[in-house]
């Protein structure tokens, strides 16, 4: 059979070649966008008098019928039609007859696929934003619950200063808020309509690309037809955003994995989000968190795969570009599922404040506060820092905390020490005192939560 896409009536391709070149097995995911784009194109052709009003209506109605067939699961996708565009157009022509063959007037699959993919990427990116907002809401809820729960804040994985669990959770919430902002910004560039670029050079038909763009809720139209059909920056941008979301999720998962280790014991994993071991009866493994960390590598792979596909491409459309969709679809699945998993896991996870509090007594987390105590009373900070260091040495020797050192010893270091130093060494006071902008103090936490809820 001569191929639908072949003007020269090229005869049937080798079955292996057909299998190798087809994209319909996966690009059918874009059917809604393809049909919406074709509908807008048909209405534009009629408006411009390139086809009659009646023909335009027949095409739009036919496309609706095709859409209904696909959604009802009765549409027959055929590999011999290569991609989703040809599948839909050939079925349309079966349904409406000869007029179906007018749909592609003034259009190429090159601008068609670029339009479909832009609409699809934008739709998915908007869905990621919704999922991000849900996750941010969950983090804010859990933070509100645990504003007064303290745990050791770490740098270099070593005990540093006491922080509120809320502060730790909100750190992630702000990463995810940046991710959502980034997606919203990228959306401006994603939603630029390339339709009207035709194959590469524009067209002599009096098309109205602005009309098509407005019909589809796009943000504007292309400026250069060659760029319009060969550009996939929009997909790269979205994929970068997704890869960065995965990076943030992966770091969060790493914290959860560490906290779930019995040496920490800061969290109890919900049964629904953990698994046992087939050999070790005591095990409760953080598989969901581990897989999310693992899938982050896969997300980077998808992003870099598209980078590599694009780097050597000459102008303009090259069939290599077909490789954009599978990677995007895979990444979309990864990031969408991961965001859902993360929100579920955080909603259900049990925090163990007693274990966190117990951990505060190890690691001299109030050493900075000891130094600050002296600084406030007039000692230059560098000297105060040394004095506090000496106190840490002594506490380590005695096997106690700084708050357990006798006042006599402290006064031996500096006469500035008074009875009230023990208040300054109290962990909750130390954390509560950090009301600097964005700090871990309770008022700061409230402000952060309010910002995230806005
Ligand atoms: N399936 C193709 C793709 O995804 C559609 C565009 C094909 N264009 C062409 N000139 N062969 O890129």
């Amino acid at each position: 059979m001569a191929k639908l896409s072949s003007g020269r009536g090229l005869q049937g391709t080798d079955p292996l070649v057909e299998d190798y070149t087809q994209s319909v097995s996966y690009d059918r995911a874009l059917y809604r966008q393809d049909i919406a784009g074709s509908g807008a194109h048909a209405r534009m052709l009629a408006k411009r008098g390139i086809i009659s009003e009646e023909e335009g209506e027949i095409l739009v109605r036919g496309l609706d019928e095709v859409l209904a067939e696909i959604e009802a699961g009765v549409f027959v996708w055929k590999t011999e039609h290569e991609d989703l565009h040809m599948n839909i157009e050939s079925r349309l022509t079966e349904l409406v007859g000869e007029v179906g063959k007018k749909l592609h007037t003034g259009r190429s699959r090159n601008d068609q696929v670029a339009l479909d993919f832009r609409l699809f990427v934008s739709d998915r990116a908007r869905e990621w934003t919704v999922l991000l907002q849900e996750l941010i809401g969950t983090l804010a809820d859990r933070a509100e619950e645990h504003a007064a729960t303290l745990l050791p804040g770490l740098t270099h994985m070593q005990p540093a200063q006491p922080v509120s669990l809320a502060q730790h959770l909100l750190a992630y919430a702000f990463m995810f808020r940046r991710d959502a902002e980034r997606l919203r910004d990228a959306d401006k560039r994603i939603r630029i309509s390339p339709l009207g670029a035709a194959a590469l050079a524009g067209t002599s038909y009096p098309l109205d690309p602005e009309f098509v763009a407005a019909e589809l809720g796009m943000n504007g139209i292309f400026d250069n037809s060659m760029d319009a059909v060969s550009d996939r920056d929009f997909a790269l941008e979205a994929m970068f955003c997704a890869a960065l979301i995965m990076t943030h999720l992966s770091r969060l998962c790493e914290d959860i994995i560490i906290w779930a280790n019995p040496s920490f014991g800061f969290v109890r994993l919900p049964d629904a989000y953990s698994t046992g071991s087939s050999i070790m009866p005591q095990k409760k493994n953080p598989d969901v968190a581990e897989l999310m960390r693992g899938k982050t590598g896969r997300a980077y792979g998808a992003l870099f795969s598209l980078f590599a596909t694009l780097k050597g491409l000459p102008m303009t459309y090259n069939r290599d570009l077909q490789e954009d969709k599978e990677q995007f679809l895979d990444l979309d699945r990864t990031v969408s599922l991961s965001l859902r998993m993360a929100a579920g896991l955080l909603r259900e996870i049990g925090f163990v404040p007693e274990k966190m509090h117990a951990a505060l007594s190890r690691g001299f987390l109030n050493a900075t506060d000891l130094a600050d105590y002296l600084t406030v009373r007039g000692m230059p900070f560098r000297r105060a820092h040394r004095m506090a260091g000496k106190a840490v040495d002594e506490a380590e020797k005695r096997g106690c905390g700084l708050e357990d050192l006798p006042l006599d010893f402290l006064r031996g270091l500096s006469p500035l020490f008074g009875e009230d130093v023990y208040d300054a060494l109290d962990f909750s006071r130390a954390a509560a005192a950090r009301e600097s902008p964005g700090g871990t103090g309770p008022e700061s936490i409230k402000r952060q939560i309010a910002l995230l809820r806005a």
Side-chain angles (χ1 to χ4, degrees):
M1 188 185 74
K3 295 191 73 94
L4 194 61
S5 56
S6 169
R8 296 171 56 184
L10 296 180
Q11 288 308 301
T13 29
D14 183 291
L16 256 185
V17 171
E18 192 171 284
D19 190 39
Y20 193 72
T21 54
Q22 67 84 26
S23 56
V24 65
S25 59
Y26 53 84
D27 68 9
R28 65 176 77 168
L30 282 63
Y31 71 89
R32 253 186 251 116
Q33 291 76 11
D34 188 71
I35 289 173
S38 287
H41 182 67
R43 283 191 293 277
M44 182 276 292
L45 291 176
K47 177 176 163 275
R48 283 298 184 142
I50 300 167
I51 60 175
S52 72
E53 286 291 339
E54 199 202 336
E55 286 170 331
E57 276 160 31
I58 292 171
L59 288 174
V60 170
R61 251 183 285 125
L63 285 163
D64 283 344
E65 244 180 281
V66 175
L67 179 64
E69 286 187 2
I70 297 173
E71 308 226 291
V74 297
F75 187 93
V76 186
W77 298 99
K78 295 183 182 151
T79 312
E80 75 245 31
H81 291 327
E82 198 175 291
D83 57 24
L84 103 141
H85 322 292
M86 304 310 289
N87 267 275
I88 289 175
E89 193 185 317
S90 75
R91 179 63 186 143
L92 174 72
T93 304
E94 272 173 24
L95 289 169
V96 304
E98 278 297 294
V99 60
K101 298 182 179 172
K102 294 197 174 185
L103 174 65
H104 211 50
T105 312
R107 185 173 74 165
S108 156
R109 269 188 297 163
N110 299 349
D111 57 346
Q112 181 180 4
V113 71
L115 173 68
D116 294 3
F117 197 33
R118 279 175 180 272
L119 288 170
F120 186 81
V121 169
S122 166
D123 288 349
R124 297 312 304 151
R126 287 175 179 193
E127 168 76 8
W128 303 342
T129 308
V130 172
L131 295 172
L132 281 166
Q133 275 154 0
E134 278 167 25
L135 179 56
I136 292 167
T138 303
L139 283 162
D141 291 344
R142 299 309 309 263
E144 222 153 33
E145 228 178 279
H146 286 285
T149 303
L150 298 184
L151 79 164
L154 312 180
T155 63
H156 311 267
M157 269 303 278
Q158 301 295 317
Q161 291 174 348
V163 292
S164 145
L165 174 57
Q167 178 79 349
H168 196 130
L169 296 175
L170 293 172
Y172 285 105
F174 283 103
M175 296 180 213
F176 295 125
R177 190 176 76 155
R178 284 198 298 278
D179 290 330
E181 281 169 9
R182 202 172 282 114
L183 283 168
R184 264 193 291 275
D185 186 66
D187 199 60
K188 293 184 224 154
R189 288 174 293 281
I190 299 170
R191 277 189 106 80
I192 294 294
S193 176
L195 206 74
L200 78 164
T203 165
S204 53
Y205 289 103
L207 302 185
D208 185 352
E210 295 280 4
F211 174 85
V212 172
E215 287 280 285
L216 296 169
M218 301 293 265
N219 214 13
I221 67 158
F222 64 99
D223 295 305
N224 176 293
S225 61
M226 292 176 78
D227 182 33
V229 292
S230 66
D231 172 35
R232 293 295 181 272
D233 294 357
F234 66 91
L236 273 181
E237 265 196 81
M239 290 170 87
F240 168 76
C241 294
L244 189 49
I245 293 171
M246 289 304 298
T247 307
H248 295 152
L249 288 173
S250 186
R251 295 185 70 179
L252 172 59
C253 286
E254 176 67 5
D255 273 341
I256 290 172
I257 290 164
I258 292 169
W259 288 353
N261 179 290
S263 310
F264 281 75
F266 291 0
V267 294
R268 265 191 293 274
L269 292 172
D271 286 355
Y273 287 85
S274 38
T275 57
S277 156
S278 52
I279 176 167
M280 296 166 282
Q282 84 284 12
K283 285 284 231 177
K284 193 167 176 189
N285 294 329
D287 294 55
V288 169
E290 291 170 88
L291 270 170
M292 216 176 289
R293 195 176 54 183
K295 283 175 188 291
T296 303
R298 176 174 172 155
Y300 297 168
L303 171 64
F304 276 86
S305 154
L306 183 55
F307 262 128
T309 298
L310 293 177
K311 79 172 270 291
L313 286 191
M315 284 287 111
T316 54
Y317 178 86
N318 296 273
R319 191 60 179 272
D320 316 43
L321 289 173
Q322 181 169 294
E323 288 294 307
D324 55 5
K325 280 175 267 336
E326 264 176 306
Q327 297 295 340
F328 182 85
L329 289 166
D330 188 74
L331 178 53
D332 172 37
R333 192 179 139 76
T334 300
V335 73
S336 305
L337 281 174
S338 299
L339 283 168
R340 280 204 184 87
M341 288 289 111
L345 178 59
L346 282 159
R347 223 177 290 123
E348 311 261 318
I349 205 165
F351 294 108
V352 191
E354 316 81 65
K355 285 275 197 173
M356 297 182 183
H357 274 269
L360 287 174
S361 60
R362 295 187 297 270
F364 311 109
L365 290 134
N366 43 7
T368 314
D369 303 286
L370 192 69
D372 287 344
Y373 178 93
L374 292 173
T375 312
V376 168
R377 282 158 187 79
M379 188 182 285
F381 179 74
R382 274 294 152 227
R383 265 168 58 90
H385 181 267
R386 269 193 47 129
M387 288 301 148
K390 285 185 181 171
V392 168
D393 285 343
E394 180 66 17
E396 205 164 45
K397 237 180 274 158
R398 298 184 185 213
C400 69
L402 291 172
E403 62 282 6
D404 304 315
L405 290 171
L407 188 58
D408 282 353
F409 170 80
L410 291 174
R411 290 186 65 86
L413 288 178
S414 164
L416 293 173
F417 280 117
E419 191 61 54
D420 58 349
V421 66
Y422 297 105
D423 293 337
L425 291 176
D426 179 78
F427 294 112
S428 353
R429 275 180 175 240
R434 294 201 161 84
E435 287 292 10
S436 56
T440 192
E443 289 309 313
S444 164
I445 301 265
K446 267 188 217 147
R447 277 195 302 274
Q448 294 179 47
I449 292 176
L451 265 177
L452 289 166
R453 301 255 195 235

